[in-house]
Structure formats: structure tokens, C-alpha cells
Amino acid sequence: MKPLVAYYRVSTREQGRSGLGIDAQRAAVARFAEAESFEIVAEHVEIETGKGSDALERRPQLAAALAGARRNGKACPIAVAKLDRLSRDVHFISGLMAHKTPFLVADLGPDVEPFLLHLYAALAEKERAVISQRTKAALAAAKARGQALGNPRLAEARATVNATRTAGADTFAATVAPVIAEAQAAGARSLRQIAAALNARGIATVRGGRWEAQTVANIMRRAR
């Protein structure tokens, strides 16, 4: 059995006292460890916000997890249930990668390279910012127009959903575009070849599926 250090984090003391968030993370990491033949040699539980690129200074348990992983050898990884349990800040994620300790994310699987962790972190961070901005703009526009018919709360909810959907698709396209450009520079010429390159890199579509020529065409059109 390969050693693995588990790290769980919740953002508030209320979540920490209830144990609900921690229990779900512990169960997810335990399932992952069993499936991938890891032995959890240590667990570290943190109650601290994930915001801010300097968050490691406020995370003694994460620092302890890093030290514990190093004591178990260079190949000993730290596992989290979801990427946002490490942080919601892409610069913070980049800083963790510099420690040369491997990180595994249970819901992403065992074969996700650091490059993809950066990509997922950047996508999540950018998507949150864009969705927030566009949702506020959509709600302000809906309020300015007024509503002659229907439930105002329903109209606001509809505007929020529409803004979220559009913002998420635009953000995903902007994030994947550099990867497509990289594939083209490496020799991928047709849409089918670009789709194969994205699939080989383990990058899923916005719906979590595999790339086809048409989905590549759609994303390139949106990115432009």
C-alpha cells in the first residue's frame, strides 16, 4: 500500500463543529484511497477560509500535511476531496505546486497532472469572477427595465440563471483557447486532431464529456 496524507478543510467554525463537511470529505478521500491502493497515514483538518493568495500563513494544518508528506518520501501525495478544499485562488495553488509535493484530488482521479490542476483552478477562479460581474449586471438591467407581468422574484431568478450559463460558457471557452492554440502549434490541424489532443490531455468539455470535431468548432467560435 502506498502512503497518502489526507487534508480536509471547512471555511467556518460552525461547519467544523457540525462535522458534516469534514465527514463528506473524509468519505470521498477514503473511497479514493481504497480504489487506488493508498493507505491514509495521516489526516489533517483545517477550519479556515480558502480565499487569498497568502492563505498558507493561516493554514497550520496544511503546512503540517506538507511536512508529513515529505517525511513519508517524495512520492507521498496529499489528497483532498475537491480542488477548492486546497484553495479557490490560482496563485495559491501554483505556490503549493512549488513545494514539489504531489497533490491528488479525489473527484478528478489519480492521473491529473499539475498543469491540469492549474487549468481547473484558473477556470474556477475566473468563472466565479465573471459570473458575479455578469449576474450583477443582468439583475441591474432587469430592475431598470421593470416587470409589467409575472413575479419579480421569478424574473430575477431567470436573469441570474441565464447570466450564469452564458458567463460559464464564455469563461470555459477563454480558458481552453490557449490549450487549443498549443495543440495547433504542436501540429494539430483539423478539428478532429484538436479534439484528439484535448482528450489526450484529459481535458473534458464544459459538460464533462469527450471532445468531438463539432464541440471544438463551437468552442473556437465562442472564444473568438
Side-chain angles (χ1 to χ4, degrees):
M1 298 286 281
K2 301 168 289 187
L4 177 147
V5 174
Y7 177 76
Y8 317 121
R9 182 184 65 81
V10 291
S11 299
T12 67
R13 295 194 178 278
E14 288 73 15
Q15 290 174 313
R17 283 194 295 267
S18 72
L20 294 177
I22 297 297
D23 288 345
Q25 293 174 55
R26 180 176 283 116
V29 172
R31 288 193 300 270
F32 171 80
E34 182 178 6
E36 303 299 332
S37 300
F38 283 103
E39 178 187 4
I40 299 176
V41 296
E43 292 185 336
H44 297 271
V45 179
E46 197 100 71
I47 302 173
E48 182 56 78
T49 179
K51 297 179 179 179
S53 58
D54 62 345
L56 188 58
E57 298 175 5
R58 304 192 302 273
R59 301 246 218 121
Q61 290 301 313
L62 181 53
L66 286 165
R70 285 192 291 267
R71 285 195 298 271
N72 280 279
K74 291 184 178 180
C76 178
I78 296 174
V80 294
K82 293 180 177 294
L83 185 59
D84 66 2
R85 296 305 84 198
L86 281 178
S87 179
R88 294 185 174 92
D89 185 279
V90 67
H91 299 296
F92 182 75
I93 297 291
S94 298
L96 290 179
M97 299 299 117
H99 286 270
K100 305 300 183 183
T101 297
F103 284 88
L104 297 176
V105 181
D107 73 340
L108 296 179
D111 301 319
V112 178
E113 299 177 355
F115 166 74
L116 287 179
L117 290 182
H118 283 94
L119 180 64
Y120 286 127
L123 174 61
E125 182 181 279
K126 182 64 176 178
E127 185 173 25
R128 280 191 302 273
V130 172
I131 286 174
S132 175
Q133 293 169 0
R134 294 192 178 181
T135 299
K136 289 177 181 177
L139 292 177
K143 185 176 181 180
R145 288 194 305 270
Q147 295 294 326
L149 298 173
N151 186 331
R153 290 185 180 275
L154 179 60
E156 287 188 3
R158 187 181 299 114
T160 299
V161 170
N162 290 337
T164 298
R165 185 182 296 115
T166 301
D170 288 346
T171 302
F172 183 78
T175 305
V176 174
V179 186
I180 291 177
E182 178 185 309
Q184 290 173 317
R189 294 289 178 262
S190 68
L191 294 175
R192 193 175 300 278
Q193 288 173 333
I194 294 171
L198 291 170
N199 290 328
R201 285 167 169 78
I203 300 174
T205 67
V206 70
R207 296 180 181 275
R210 291 179 60 80
W211 291 89
E212 303 290 346
Q214 187 57 53
T215 50
V216 172
N218 293 343
I219 213 76
M220 292 176 70
R221 189 181 307 113
R222 183 177 285 273
R224 287 196 295 269

